[in-house]
Short mmCIF file of all heavy atoms in Angstrom, two decimals:
data_model
loop_
_atom_site.label_atom_id
_atom_site.label_comp_id
_atom_site.label_asym_id
_atom_site.label_seq_id
_atom_site.Cartn_x
_atom_site.Cartn_y
_atom_site.Cartn_z
N ARG A 127 60.20 35.39 64.65
CA ARG A 127 59.55 34.10 64.82
C ARG A 127 58.20 34.10 64.10
O ARG A 127 57.85 33.16 63.38
CB ARG A 127 59.38 33.85 66.32
CG ARG A 127 58.47 32.72 66.67
CD ARG A 127 59.26 31.46 66.96
NE ARG A 127 58.37 30.35 67.16
CZ ARG A 127 58.08 29.87 68.36
NH1 ARG A 127 58.60 30.41 69.44
NH2 ARG A 127 57.29 28.83 68.48
N LYS A 128 57.45 35.21 64.30
CA LYS A 128 56.13 35.28 63.65
C LYS A 128 56.27 35.31 62.13
O LYS A 128 55.53 34.68 61.40
CB LYS A 128 55.37 36.52 64.13
CG LYS A 128 54.69 36.30 65.45
CD LYS A 128 53.82 37.46 65.81
CE LYS A 128 53.10 37.17 67.12
NZ LYS A 128 52.40 38.35 67.62
N ASN A 131 57.02 31.94 61.03
CA ASN A 131 55.84 31.09 61.05
C ASN A 131 54.90 31.40 59.89
O ASN A 131 54.32 30.52 59.28
CB ASN A 131 55.09 31.27 62.39
CG ASN A 131 55.79 30.51 63.50
OD1 ASN A 131 56.46 29.52 63.24
ND2 ASN A 131 55.66 30.99 64.72
N THR A 132 54.75 32.69 59.62
CA THR A 132 53.87 33.10 58.53
C THR A 132 54.40 32.57 57.20
O THR A 132 53.67 32.04 56.37
CB THR A 132 53.75 34.64 58.47
OG1 THR A 132 53.33 35.08 59.75
CG2 THR A 132 52.76 35.07 57.42
N LEU A 135 53.88 28.93 57.04
CA LEU A 135 52.47 28.63 56.78
C LEU A 135 52.12 28.88 55.31
O LEU A 135 51.42 28.11 54.67
CB LEU A 135 51.62 29.54 57.68
CG LEU A 135 50.29 29.02 58.18
CD1 LEU A 135 50.43 27.62 58.73
CD2 LEU A 135 49.79 29.95 59.28
N ALA A 136 52.69 29.99 54.79
CA ALA A 136 52.43 30.31 53.38
C ALA A 136 52.98 29.20 52.49
O ALA A 136 52.31 28.74 51.56
CB ALA A 136 53.07 31.64 53.01
N LEU A 139 50.80 26.19 52.73
CA LEU A 139 49.58 26.33 51.94
C LEU A 139 49.87 26.19 50.46
O LEU A 139 49.14 25.55 49.73
CB LEU A 139 48.93 27.70 52.22
CG LEU A 139 48.23 27.79 53.57
CD1 LEU A 139 47.93 29.25 53.91
CD2 LEU A 139 46.93 26.99 53.55
N LEU A 145 46.29 22.04 44.03
CA LEU A 145 45.13 21.56 43.28
C LEU A 145 43.98 22.55 43.39
O LEU A 145 43.22 22.74 42.45
CB LEU A 145 44.69 20.19 43.79
CG LEU A 145 45.75 19.10 43.68
CD1 LEU A 145 45.16 17.76 44.05
CD2 LEU A 145 46.34 19.06 42.29
N TRP A 147 44.38 25.63 43.70
CA TRP A 147 44.80 26.79 42.94
C TRP A 147 44.66 26.59 41.46
O TRP A 147 44.47 27.53 40.72
CB TRP A 147 46.27 27.03 43.25
CG TRP A 147 46.41 28.06 44.28
CD1 TRP A 147 45.61 28.27 45.36
CD2 TRP A 147 47.42 29.05 44.32
NE1 TRP A 147 46.08 29.32 46.07
CE2 TRP A 147 47.18 29.82 45.47
CE3 TRP A 147 48.51 29.34 43.51
CZ2 TRP A 147 48.00 30.87 45.81
CZ3 TRP A 147 49.31 30.39 43.86
CH2 TRP A 147 49.06 31.15 45.00
N ALA A 148 44.85 25.37 41.09
CA ALA A 148 44.90 25.11 39.66
C ALA A 148 43.52 25.32 39.06
O ALA A 148 42.75 24.40 38.91
CB ALA A 148 45.38 23.69 39.40
N GLN A 149 43.22 26.55 38.76
CA GLN A 149 41.89 26.86 38.24
C GLN A 149 41.82 26.60 36.74
O GLN A 149 40.84 26.91 36.11
CB GLN A 149 41.50 28.29 38.56
CG GLN A 149 41.23 28.51 40.04
CD GLN A 149 40.12 27.62 40.58
OE1 GLN A 149 39.06 27.52 39.98
NE2 GLN A 149 40.34 26.95 41.69
N SER A 150 42.91 26.12 36.19
CA SER A 150 42.95 25.73 34.78
C SER A 150 42.72 26.93 33.87
O SER A 150 42.55 28.03 34.35
CB SER A 150 41.96 24.62 34.49
OG SER A 150 40.66 25.13 34.40
N LEU A 167 32.24 26.49 38.80
CA LEU A 167 33.57 26.25 39.39
C LEU A 167 33.51 26.08 40.90
O LEU A 167 34.52 25.87 41.54
CB LEU A 167 34.55 27.36 38.99
CG LEU A 167 34.67 27.63 37.48
CD1 LEU A 167 35.89 28.48 37.18
CD2 LEU A 167 34.69 26.35 36.65
N GLU A 168 32.29 26.16 41.44
CA GLU A 168 32.10 25.82 42.86
C GLU A 168 32.54 24.38 43.11
O GLU A 168 33.15 24.07 44.12
CB GLU A 168 30.61 26.01 43.20
CG GLU A 168 30.17 25.47 44.55
CD GLU A 168 30.63 26.34 45.70
OE1 GLU A 168 30.97 27.51 45.45
OE2 GLU A 168 30.68 25.85 46.85
N CYS A 169 32.20 23.50 42.18
CA CYS A 169 32.48 22.08 42.40
C CYS A 169 33.67 21.55 41.59
O CYS A 169 34.31 20.61 42.01
CB CYS A 169 31.25 21.25 42.05
SG CYS A 169 29.94 21.41 43.25
N HIS A 170 33.90 22.08 40.39
CA HIS A 170 34.98 21.54 39.56
C HIS A 170 35.67 22.68 38.84
O HIS A 170 35.15 23.80 38.78
CB HIS A 170 34.43 20.51 38.56
CG HIS A 170 33.37 21.03 37.65
ND1 HIS A 170 33.66 21.84 36.57
CD2 HIS A 170 32.02 20.89 37.67
CE1 HIS A 170 32.52 22.15 35.95
NE2 HIS A 170 31.51 21.60 36.60
N ASP A 171 36.86 22.39 38.28
CA ASP A 171 37.57 23.47 37.61
C ASP A 171 37.09 23.63 36.17
O ASP A 171 36.24 22.88 35.68
CB ASP A 171 39.09 23.30 37.74
CG ASP A 171 39.64 22.16 36.93
OD1 ASP A 171 39.10 21.88 35.85
OD2 ASP A 171 40.63 21.54 37.38
N SER A 173 38.68 23.27 33.39
CA SER A 173 39.24 22.44 32.31
C SER A 173 38.23 21.41 31.81
O SER A 173 38.19 21.11 30.61
CB SER A 173 40.53 21.75 32.77
OG SER A 173 40.30 21.02 33.93
N ILE A 174 37.37 20.92 32.71
CA ILE A 174 36.40 19.91 32.28
C ILE A 174 35.36 20.55 31.34
O ILE A 174 34.76 19.86 30.51
CB ILE A 174 35.73 19.21 33.49
CG1 ILE A 174 34.97 17.96 33.07
CG2 ILE A 174 34.83 20.14 34.27
CD1 ILE A 174 35.81 16.84 32.54
N GLN A 177 37.31 21.49 27.66
CA GLN A 177 37.70 20.36 26.80
C GLN A 177 36.51 19.76 26.05
O GLN A 177 36.70 18.91 25.19
CB GLN A 177 38.43 19.28 27.59
CG GLN A 177 37.60 18.54 28.61
CD GLN A 177 38.44 17.67 29.54
OE1 GLN A 177 38.69 16.52 29.25
NE2 GLN A 177 38.87 18.23 30.66
N GLN A 178 35.29 20.21 26.37
CA GLN A 178 34.11 19.65 25.71
C GLN A 178 33.89 20.28 24.33
O GLN A 178 34.23 21.44 24.10
CB GLN A 178 32.84 19.87 26.55
CG GLN A 178 32.94 19.37 27.97
CD GLN A 178 33.27 17.88 28.08
OE1 GLN A 178 32.78 17.07 27.30
NE2 GLN A 178 34.12 17.52 29.04
N ARG A 179 33.30 19.53 23.42
CA ARG A 179 32.95 20.02 22.09
C ARG A 179 31.55 19.51 21.77
O ARG A 179 31.38 18.42 21.22
CB ARG A 179 33.96 19.50 21.04
CG ARG A 179 35.32 20.14 21.17
CD ARG A 179 35.25 21.65 20.85
NE ARG A 179 36.50 22.36 21.08
CZ ARG A 179 36.80 22.98 22.23
NH1 ARG A 179 35.96 22.98 23.24
NH2 ARG A 179 37.92 23.64 22.34
N LEU A 180 30.56 20.28 22.15
CA LEU A 180 29.19 19.78 22.08
C LEU A 180 28.25 20.76 21.40
O LEU A 180 28.45 21.97 21.47
CB LEU A 180 28.67 19.50 23.50
CG LEU A 180 29.50 18.51 24.35
CD1 LEU A 180 29.01 18.50 25.78
CD2 LEU A 180 29.48 17.11 23.75
N GLU A 188 23.56 18.80 29.55
CA GLU A 188 24.59 18.92 30.60
C GLU A 188 24.19 19.97 31.64
O GLU A 188 24.32 19.73 32.85
CB GLU A 188 25.94 19.30 29.98
CG GLU A 188 26.61 18.17 29.23
CD GLU A 188 26.82 16.92 30.07
OE1 GLU A 188 27.49 17.00 31.12
OE2 GLU A 188 26.30 15.86 29.69
N TRP A 195 21.96 18.32 39.83
CA TRP A 195 22.98 17.85 40.76
C TRP A 195 23.48 18.96 41.71
O TRP A 195 24.50 18.80 42.36
CB TRP A 195 24.16 17.25 39.98
CG TRP A 195 23.86 15.88 39.44
CD1 TRP A 195 22.68 15.21 39.52
CD2 TRP A 195 24.76 15.02 38.72
NE1 TRP A 195 22.79 13.98 38.90
CE2 TRP A 195 24.05 13.85 38.42
CE3 TRP A 195 26.09 15.14 38.32
CZ2 TRP A 195 24.64 12.77 37.72
CZ3 TRP A 195 26.67 14.08 37.63
CH2 TRP A 195 25.96 12.91 37.32
N PRO A 217 31.02 21.84 18.56
CA PRO A 217 31.66 20.62 18.04
C PRO A 217 32.81 20.88 17.07
O PRO A 217 33.75 20.09 17.01
CB PRO A 217 30.52 19.90 17.32
CG PRO A 217 29.28 20.45 17.90
CD PRO A 217 29.58 21.85 18.32
N MET A 224 45.68 20.16 26.64
CA MET A 224 45.65 20.14 28.09
C MET A 224 47.08 20.22 28.62
O MET A 224 48.01 19.72 27.98
CB MET A 224 44.97 18.86 28.58
CG MET A 224 43.55 18.67 28.07
SD MET A 224 42.47 20.09 28.35
CE MET A 224 42.09 19.86 30.09
N PRO A 225 47.26 20.82 29.78
CA PRO A 225 48.61 20.97 30.33
C PRO A 225 49.17 19.66 30.86
O PRO A 225 48.42 18.71 31.10
CB PRO A 225 48.42 21.96 31.47
CG PRO A 225 47.01 21.75 31.89
CD PRO A 225 46.24 21.38 30.66
N ARG A 226 50.48 19.64 31.01
CA ARG A 226 51.15 18.50 31.64
C ARG A 226 51.43 18.85 33.10
O ARG A 226 51.58 20.01 33.47
CB ARG A 226 52.47 18.22 30.93
CG ARG A 226 52.33 17.75 29.49
CD ARG A 226 51.75 16.34 29.41
NE ARG A 226 51.75 15.86 28.04
CZ ARG A 226 52.60 14.92 27.60
NH1 ARG A 226 53.48 14.38 28.40
NH2 ARG A 226 52.55 14.52 26.35
N ALA A 227 51.54 17.81 33.90
CA ALA A 227 51.83 18.02 35.32
C ALA A 227 53.33 18.18 35.55
O ALA A 227 54.13 17.48 34.96
CB ALA A 227 51.33 16.82 36.13
N GLY A 228 53.64 19.13 36.39
CA GLY A 228 54.94 19.15 37.05
C GLY A 228 56.10 19.79 36.35
O GLY A 228 57.12 20.00 36.97
N SER A 229 55.98 20.11 35.08
CA SER A 229 57.15 20.64 34.41
C SER A 229 56.70 21.70 33.43
O SER A 229 55.67 21.58 32.78
CB SER A 229 57.87 19.51 33.66
OG SER A 229 58.68 20.04 32.65
N ALA A 230 57.50 22.74 33.30
CA ALA A 230 57.15 23.81 32.37
C ALA A 230 57.51 23.43 30.95
O ALA A 230 57.17 24.11 30.00
CB ALA A 230 57.85 25.10 32.76
N LYS A 232 57.52 21.92 27.44
CA LYS A 232 56.43 21.54 26.52
C LYS A 232 56.71 20.17 25.93
O LYS A 232 57.84 19.87 25.57
CB LYS A 232 56.32 22.57 25.40
CG LYS A 232 55.41 23.72 25.76
CD LYS A 232 55.00 24.47 24.52
CE LYS A 232 53.83 25.39 24.84
NZ LYS A 232 53.41 26.13 23.67
N MET B 15 55.22 28.57 70.98
CA MET B 15 53.81 28.17 70.92
C MET B 15 52.98 29.27 70.26
O MET B 15 53.02 30.43 70.68
CB MET B 15 53.32 27.93 72.37
CG MET B 15 51.95 27.32 72.46
SD MET B 15 52.01 25.56 72.06
CE MET B 15 50.30 25.13 72.15
N ILE B 16 52.25 28.94 69.24
CA ILE B 16 51.42 29.93 68.57
C ILE B 16 50.00 29.84 69.13
O ILE B 16 49.45 28.74 69.23
CB ILE B 16 51.36 29.68 67.05
CG1 ILE B 16 52.76 29.50 66.48
CG2 ILE B 16 50.63 30.78 66.33
CD1 ILE B 16 52.77 29.14 65.01
N ARG B 23 45.52 34.56 62.36
CA ARG B 23 45.98 35.79 61.72
C ARG B 23 47.07 35.46 60.69
O ARG B 23 47.05 35.93 59.56
CB ARG B 23 46.52 36.75 62.80
CG ARG B 23 46.79 38.16 62.27
CD ARG B 23 46.89 39.17 63.42
NE ARG B 23 47.83 38.75 64.44
CZ ARG B 23 49.16 38.91 64.32
NH1 ARG B 23 49.66 39.46 63.24
NH2 ARG B 23 49.97 38.51 65.28
N GLN B 24 48.01 34.61 61.14
CA GLN B 24 49.10 34.27 60.23
C GLN B 24 48.57 33.48 59.03
O GLN B 24 49.04 33.65 57.91
CB GLN B 24 50.16 33.46 60.97
CG GLN B 24 50.96 34.33 61.92
CD GLN B 24 51.77 33.52 62.89
OE1 GLN B 24 51.95 32.33 62.71
NE2 GLN B 24 52.25 34.17 63.93
N ALA B 25 47.57 32.66 59.31
CA ALA B 25 47.01 31.89 58.20
C ALA B 25 46.38 32.83 57.18
O ALA B 25 46.54 32.67 55.98
CB ALA B 25 45.97 30.90 58.72
N ALA B 32 49.72 34.05 49.50
CA ALA B 32 49.66 33.00 48.48
C ALA B 32 48.82 33.45 47.30
O ALA B 32 49.16 33.21 46.15
CB ALA B 32 49.08 31.73 49.09
N THR B 40 51.75 26.88 40.06
CA THR B 40 50.64 26.10 39.52
C THR B 40 50.72 26.05 38.00
O THR B 40 51.28 25.13 37.43
CB THR B 40 49.30 26.67 39.99
OG1 THR B 40 49.25 28.04 39.65
CG2 THR B 40 49.15 26.50 41.47
N TRP B 41 50.26 27.07 37.35
CA TRP B 41 50.22 27.02 35.89
C TRP B 41 51.37 27.82 35.31
O TRP B 41 51.64 28.94 35.72
CB TRP B 41 48.89 27.57 35.36
CG TRP B 41 47.79 26.71 35.78
CD1 TRP B 41 47.15 26.70 36.98
CD2 TRP B 41 47.20 25.66 35.02
NE1 TRP B 41 46.21 25.72 37.02
CE2 TRP B 41 46.20 25.06 35.84
CE3 TRP B 41 47.41 25.16 33.73
CZ2 TRP B 41 45.44 24.00 35.39
CZ3 TRP B 41 46.64 24.10 33.29
CH2 TRP B 41 45.67 23.54 34.13
N ASP B 44 52.27 29.82 29.80
CA ASP B 44 51.59 29.44 28.57
C ASP B 44 50.55 28.34 28.78
O ASP B 44 50.09 27.72 27.84
CB ASP B 44 52.62 28.99 27.52
CG ASP B 44 53.45 27.82 28.02
OD1 ASP B 44 53.23 27.39 29.17
OD2 ASP B 44 54.32 27.35 27.27
N ASN B 45 50.22 28.10 30.06
CA ASN B 45 49.22 27.08 30.39
C ASN B 45 49.62 25.68 29.94
O ASN B 45 48.77 24.80 29.77
CB ASN B 45 47.86 27.42 29.77
CG ASN B 45 47.02 28.26 30.71
OD1 ASN B 45 47.33 28.32 31.91
ND2 ASN B 45 45.99 28.87 30.20
N SER B 46 50.92 25.47 29.71
CA SER B 46 51.32 24.15 29.22
C SER B 46 51.59 23.18 30.36
O SER B 46 51.76 21.99 30.12
CB SER B 46 52.56 24.27 28.35
OG SER B 46 53.64 24.72 29.13
N SER B 47 51.68 23.69 31.58
CA SER B 47 51.97 22.77 32.67
C SER B 47 51.32 23.24 33.96
O SER B 47 50.97 24.41 34.10
CB SER B 47 53.48 22.62 32.87
OG SER B 47 53.99 23.78 33.49
N VAL B 48 51.17 22.33 34.87
CA VAL B 48 50.64 22.65 36.19
C VAL B 48 51.43 21.85 37.21
O VAL B 48 51.75 20.67 36.98
CB VAL B 48 49.12 22.34 36.25
CG1 VAL B 48 48.84 20.90 35.91
CG2 VAL B 48 48.54 22.69 37.59
N GLU B 53 53.71 13.69 39.93
CA GLU B 53 52.89 13.28 38.78
C GLU B 53 53.46 13.86 37.49
O GLU B 53 52.71 14.06 36.52
CB GLU B 53 51.44 13.74 38.98
CG GLU B 53 50.77 13.25 40.25
CD GLU B 53 50.41 11.77 40.20
OE1 GLU B 53 50.57 11.13 39.15
OE2 GLU B 53 49.97 11.26 41.23
N GLU B 54 54.75 14.19 37.51
CA GLU B 54 55.36 14.89 36.39
C GLU B 54 55.08 14.20 35.05
O GLU B 54 55.22 12.99 34.93
CB GLU B 54 56.88 15.01 36.61
CG GLU B 54 57.27 16.08 37.60
CD GLU B 54 57.16 15.62 39.05
OE1 GLU B 54 56.77 14.45 39.28
OE2 GLU B 54 57.46 16.43 39.94
N GLY B 55 54.74 15.02 34.08
CA GLY B 55 54.56 14.51 32.73
C GLY B 55 53.15 14.06 32.42
O GLY B 55 52.80 13.89 31.25
N MET B 56 52.33 13.86 33.43
CA MET B 56 50.96 13.39 33.18
C MET B 56 50.11 14.51 32.55
O MET B 56 50.33 15.69 32.81
CB MET B 56 50.32 12.92 34.48
CG MET B 56 51.00 11.72 35.11
SD MET B 56 50.79 10.20 34.16
CE MET B 56 49.15 9.70 34.68
N VAL B 58 47.00 16.68 32.44
CA VAL B 58 46.00 17.08 33.45
C VAL B 58 44.67 17.34 32.74
O VAL B 58 44.46 18.39 32.16
CB VAL B 58 46.46 18.33 34.22
CG1 VAL B 58 45.47 18.67 35.33
CG2 VAL B 58 47.85 18.13 34.79
N ARG B 59 43.82 16.36 32.74
CA ARG B 59 42.48 16.53 32.14
C ARG B 59 41.61 17.39 33.05
O ARG B 59 40.73 18.10 32.58
CB ARG B 59 41.82 15.18 31.90
CG ARG B 59 42.51 14.35 30.85
CD ARG B 59 41.96 14.61 29.44
NE ARG B 59 42.87 14.06 28.44
CZ ARG B 59 43.31 14.74 27.39
NH1 ARG B 59 42.91 15.97 27.18
NH2 ARG B 59 44.15 14.19 26.54
N SER B 60 41.82 17.24 34.35
CA SER B 60 41.10 18.06 35.31
C SER B 60 41.88 18.03 36.61
O SER B 60 42.37 16.97 37.01
CB SER B 60 39.68 17.50 35.51
OG SER B 60 39.08 18.10 36.64
N ALA B 61 42.02 19.19 37.24
CA ALA B 61 42.73 19.23 38.52
C ALA B 61 41.76 19.11 39.68
O ALA B 61 42.12 18.69 40.77
CB ALA B 61 43.53 20.53 38.63
N ARG B 62 40.52 19.48 39.45
CA ARG B 62 39.50 19.39 40.50
C ARG B 62 38.18 19.16 39.78
O ARG B 62 37.65 20.10 39.17
CB ARG B 62 39.45 20.72 41.27
CG ARG B 62 38.59 20.70 42.52
CD ARG B 62 38.76 22.05 43.23
NE ARG B 62 38.32 23.13 42.36
CZ ARG B 62 37.13 23.71 42.46
NH1 ARG B 62 36.30 23.38 43.38
NH2 ARG B 62 36.78 24.68 41.62
N PHE B 63 37.72 17.94 39.74
CA PHE B 63 38.20 16.68 40.31
C PHE B 63 39.49 16.24 39.62
O PHE B 63 39.77 16.67 38.52
CB PHE B 63 37.12 15.60 40.19
CG PHE B 63 35.77 16.14 40.53
CD1 PHE B 63 34.78 16.28 39.57
CD2 PHE B 63 35.50 16.58 41.83
CE1 PHE B 63 33.55 16.82 39.89
CE2 PHE B 63 34.27 17.11 42.16
CZ PHE B 63 33.29 17.23 41.18
N PRO B 69 50.43 9.98 29.24
CA PRO B 69 50.79 10.25 27.84
C PRO B 69 51.19 8.95 27.16
O PRO B 69 51.78 8.06 27.79
CB PRO B 69 52.00 11.18 27.95
CG PRO B 69 52.04 11.63 29.36
CD PRO B 69 51.36 10.60 30.19
N GLU B 71 53.51 8.08 25.31
CA GLU B 71 54.92 7.67 25.33
C GLU B 71 55.31 6.95 26.61
O GLU B 71 56.37 6.34 26.69
CB GLU B 71 55.85 8.87 25.09
CG GLU B 71 55.89 9.89 26.20
CD GLU B 71 54.98 11.09 25.96
OE1 GLU B 71 53.99 10.96 25.20
OE2 GLU B 71 55.26 12.17 26.52
N HIS B 90 35.38 14.55 44.78
CA HIS B 90 36.56 14.97 45.53
C HIS B 90 37.14 13.75 46.24
O HIS B 90 36.40 12.91 46.78
CB HIS B 90 36.18 16.01 46.59
CG HIS B 90 35.58 17.25 46.00
ND1 HIS B 90 36.26 18.05 45.12
CD2 HIS B 90 34.37 17.83 46.16
CE1 HIS B 90 35.48 19.07 44.77
NE2 HIS B 90 34.32 18.95 45.37
N HIS B 144 31.10 14.16 18.87
CA HIS B 144 31.67 14.26 20.21
C HIS B 144 30.63 13.93 21.28
O HIS B 144 29.44 14.19 21.10
CB HIS B 144 32.18 15.68 20.46
CG HIS B 144 33.33 16.04 19.58
ND1 HIS B 144 34.54 15.38 19.62
CD2 HIS B 144 33.48 17.01 18.65
CE1 HIS B 144 35.36 15.93 18.74
NE2 HIS B 144 34.74 16.91 18.13
N PRO B 146 29.91 14.07 25.72
CA PRO B 146 30.38 14.76 26.91
C PRO B 146 31.15 13.82 27.84
O PRO B 146 30.94 12.61 27.82
CB PRO B 146 29.08 15.23 27.58
CG PRO B 146 28.03 14.30 27.09
CD PRO B 146 28.45 13.87 25.71
N GLY B 147 32.00 14.40 28.67
CA GLY B 147 32.78 13.62 29.64
C GLY B 147 34.24 14.01 29.55
O GLY B 147 34.62 14.83 28.70
N GLN B 149 37.70 14.09 28.29
CA GLN B 149 38.08 13.80 26.90
C GLN B 149 39.38 12.99 26.84
O GLN B 149 40.41 13.46 26.33
CB GLN B 149 38.17 15.09 26.10
CG GLN B 149 36.82 15.82 26.00
CD GLN B 149 35.75 15.00 25.28
OE1 GLN B 149 35.91 14.65 24.12
NE2 GLN B 149 34.64 14.69 25.98
N PRO B 190 30.02 16.40 45.92
CA PRO B 190 29.63 17.81 45.94
C PRO B 190 28.15 17.97 45.61
O PRO B 190 27.58 17.18 44.86
CB PRO B 190 30.50 18.42 44.83
CG PRO B 190 30.74 17.29 43.88
CD PRO B 190 30.63 15.99 44.65
N LYS B 192 24.38 17.97 45.00
CA LYS B 192 23.41 16.86 45.05
C LYS B 192 23.80 15.76 44.09
O LYS B 192 22.95 15.01 43.60
CB LYS B 192 22.02 17.39 44.68
CG LYS B 192 21.49 18.47 45.62
CD LYS B 192 20.15 18.98 45.06
CE LYS B 192 19.74 20.28 45.72
NZ LYS B 192 18.69 20.96 44.97
N VAL B 193 25.09 15.69 43.77
CA VAL B 193 25.57 14.66 42.85
C VAL B 193 25.32 13.30 43.49
O VAL B 193 25.58 13.11 44.68
CB VAL B 193 27.08 14.85 42.56
CG1 VAL B 193 27.61 13.75 41.67
CG2 VAL B 193 27.33 16.21 41.94
N PRO B 194 24.80 12.35 42.72
CA PRO B 194 24.60 11.01 43.31
C PRO B 194 25.94 10.39 43.69
O PRO B 194 26.92 10.59 43.00
CB PRO B 194 23.94 10.21 42.18
CG PRO B 194 23.66 11.16 41.09
CD PRO B 194 24.43 12.41 41.31
#
Side-chain angles (χ1 to χ4, degrees):
Chain A
R127 167 98 186 257
K128 278 188 178 171
N131 282 333
T132 305
L135 212 47
L139 285 166
L145 301 187
W147 263 36
Q149 290 301 312
S150 78
L167 307 194
E168 169 74 19
C169 288
H170 58 76
D171 71 34
S173 56
I174 193 66
Q177 67 191 270
Q178 306 302 321
R179 289 295 174 267
L180 303 171
E188 287 304 302
W195 284 3
M224 302 307 282
R226 295 290 186 107
S229 159
K232 272 197 166 180
Chain B
M15 188 76 183
I16 310 175
R23 190 162 52 80
Q24 287 166 15
T40 55
W41 295 81
D44 58 0
N45 269 344
S46 65
S47 74
V48 57
E53 303 287 354
E54 283 82 0
M56 296 291 279
V58 184
R59 293 270 165 230
S60 167
R62 189 174 61 100
F63 317 112
E71 69 262 25
H90 299 299
H144 294 298
Q149 296 299 299
K192 299 176 195 164
V193 177

